[in-house]
Amino acid sequence: MQAWLGDDADLPTDGGLSAEQADAMIENVIGRYGLPFGIATNFLIDGRDHLIPMVIEEPSVVAACSNAARLFRAGGGFTTSADDPVMIGQIQVLDVPDIARAQSAITAHRDELLAEVNAAGGSIVARGGGARDIEMRVFPQTAVGALLVVHLLMDTRDAMGANAINTAVEMLAPRIEALTGGRVNLRILSNLTDRRKARAEGVVPANQLASADLSGADVVRAIVEAGVFAEVDPYRAATHNKGVMNGIDAVVLATGNDWRAVAAGAHAYAARDGAYTSLTRWWADDDGNLRGSIELPLAVGIVGGATRVHPMAQLALKILGVDSASHLARVMAAVGLAQNFAAIRALATDGIQRGHMRLHARQMAMAAGAGPEQVAQIAQTMIEEGNIRLERARALVADLQKE
Ligand code: MEV
């Protein structure tokens, strides 16, 4: 590990979070919990090189992601796009005497309601964000009667925006009750942030995929087949999307964003048409090269919350060099596509266990108490013996200690 960032940003060696900062973040703090912070390389996104900070406990992810990005680079890198950062806040209205009339009343007062939210001001409005629209959805028959659900759409600019949208819907609730004659129950954001999607697409030239045993065309076909498997079968889609989220969540975590929110949005979006499906698509283009795309909601910010408080999140944003929340979301989409490619390429060719063995052996060696200078040697011995087990690692550590 090297503190390579230069004079102004030496890499903290203690996880970057002081006990005082941790104590201010949550309740009943008894300590801090470290995770590896790595950098994925080779990412060319919209013509610009990016280094990708990733925080994750799982071996192989960072290496696989970097390797995948190298292959996409040979196809020109990733092309990405993102929607405006629009969050959805929900207001649940019950006991509405006349739903059609309530809807008309809200529509008639739409501009006034939006103005009311924006007049409350705040940093998001100051930065050009604010309430954009109101939509309504009706569930005529539920176990608790008819529901009118009012959606406030709010552009939260560079913030994830949970606080802003929750404040706004709480503020609007009494007005909604007055306009509808109903009773408001919940007022909370939706994590299905489908107005805030990011997309990435890229090509891996078939000739980059050839191996000793398989032609490039064979590998393209096998990857497309793997992609279709996840499109049609929810059992496979869950695992496929877990691989996508291996990449995305690692960047979400590194940048101090809310990975539960991002995961909830991703999986809800994957089930948007009633059947859970893949977040990515893979196909062979007219030249026989592999093309992949991804689209998912990504509600992430570069201001506010832990992104501001956690020194490592600040460092991660600096490494990324992103200038907006949308830029961060676009980078994450590219990372998700790369990670998915790496996983299904491995699965559709060698299988993933071969690559995992070396890292697994290293982990066993460390778990057995091997010092940093002994880990590689012990791992290598276990690989050669085909016996990668904790007991064997312990015996090898004991042997080395005797020497
Ligand atoms: C393991 O963390 C992720 C994979 O299972 C993803 C996949 O199956 O596509 C390898």
Side-chain angles (χ1 to χ4, degrees):
M1 185 179 76
Q2 290 175 328
W4 52 270
L5 281 172
D7 299 342
D8 60 337
D10 283 344
L11 205 53
T13 51
D14 62 353
L17 191 70
S18 70
E20 291 72 29
Q21 283 164 325
D23 201 34
M25 283 173 84
I26 67 163
E27 311 74 38
N28 300 358
V29 170
I30 61 157
R32 290 161 287 160
Y33 184 120
L35 282 171
F37 183 117
I39 304 278
T41 55
N42 302 324
F43 273 81
L44 180 62
I45 302 173
D46 300 315
R48 214 200 89 187
D49 285 321
H50 289 72
L51 290 170
I52 313 292
M54 300 179 90
V55 171
I56 187 160
E57 88 297 346
E58 184 172 332
S60 298
V61 168
V62 177
C65 201
S66 305
N67 193 36
R70 186 175 55 76
L71 298 176
F72 278 98
R73 176 178 281 265
F78 299 94
T79 309
T80 69
S81 64
D83 302 330
D84 281 344
V86 172
M87 294 295 280
I88 299 169
Q90 297 197 289
I91 303 175
Q92 179 196 18
V93 200
L94 301 105
D95 304 337
V96 178
D98 182 337
I99 293 225
R101 224 179 145 126
Q103 286 178 286
S104 307
I106 290 175
T107 305
H109 290 82
R110 173 189 167 277
D111 291 349
E112 204 180 293
L113 294 168
L114 298 179
E116 213 168 293
V117 172
N118 291 336
S123 57
I124 282 171
V125 174
R127 280 197 288 262
R132 294 285 186 259
D133 207 353
I134 288 180
E135 295 178 348
M136 284 164 279
R137 296 160 63 248
V138 178
F139 298 87
Q141 281 174 331
T142 79
V144 291
L147 289 187
L148 172 63
V149 180
V150 179
H151 280 191
L152 171 68
L153 307 190
M154 184 168 181
D155 183 329
T156 60
R157 296 283 89 199
D158 288 330
M160 186 274 191
N163 278 333
I165 191 83
N166 289 340
T167 305
V169 284
E170 286 193 4
M171 191 184 97
L172 280 188
R175 293 277 289 124
I176 297 294
E177 283 189 333
L179 286 169
T180 61
R183 173 175 62 84
V184 166
N185 188 27
L186 301 195
R187 299 140 296 162
I188 185 72
L189 65 77
S190 170
N191 285 122
L192 176 52
T193 55
D194 60 1
R195 302 305 171 93
R196 194 174 184 173
K197 295 189 295 295
R199 290 160 285 274
E201 197 170 322
V203 179
V204 178
N207 62 19
Q208 298 286 319
L209 293 170
S211 66
D213 313 326
L214 295 166
S215 71
D218 286 340
V219 178
V220 170
R221 193 184 59 244
I223 293 174
V224 171
E225 288 166 356
V228 171
F229 184 9
E231 282 179 41
V232 300
D233 179 2
Y235 285 91
R236 173 57 205 153
T239 325
H240 180 99
N241 290 343
K242 189 273 183 183
V244 170
M245 301 313 285
N246 273 346
I248 292 178
D249 276 342
V251 186
V252 175
L253 200 47
T255 54
N257 275 289
D258 181 342
W259 73 97
R260 288 88 54 215
V262 169
H267 296 296
Y269 189 65
R272 65 195 174 282
D273 294 326
Y276 186 87
T277 186
S278 170
L279 289 166
T280 60
R281 293 288 176 267
W282 295 99
W283 67 100
D285 68 13
D286 292 344
D287 300 320
N289 297 321
L290 179 72
R291 193 173 272 273
S293 69
I294 185 169
E295 179 182 75
L296 77 166
L298 275 165
V300 290
I302 60 167
V303 298
T307 54
R308 269 274 174 268
V309 177
H310 201 302
M312 293 303 277
Q314 280 294 295
L315 181 61
L317 289 170
K318 186 169 177 180
I319 291 168
L320 274 165
V322 289
D323 51 22
S324 65
S326 297
H327 186 177
L328 178 59
R330 291 191 286 105
V331 168
M332 287 176 178
V335 173
L337 188 64
Q339 200 71 53
N340 179 227
F341 163 80
I344 58 175
R345 180 200 182 197
L347 291 167
T349 55
D350 294 340
I352 56 167
Q353 286 314 102
R354 195 198 288 183
H356 273 185
M357 277 310 146
R358 181 162 300 278
L359 286 153
H360 180 55
R362 291 176 65 89
Q363 281 184 334
M364 286 294 118
M366 281 191 276
E373 67 295 341
Q374 300 168 332
V375 169
Q377 188 188 338
I378 291 176
Q380 187 58 33
T381 307
M382 289 194 292
I383 290 165
E384 281 164 15
E385 294 174 352
N387 182 14
I388 305 173
R389 306 223 322 259
L390 190 57
E391 303 78 67
R392 181 63 188 136
R394 285 201 179 117
L396 289 167
V397 171
D399 286 351
L400 279 179
Q401 273 160 1
K402 270 189 232 138
E403 277 172 18

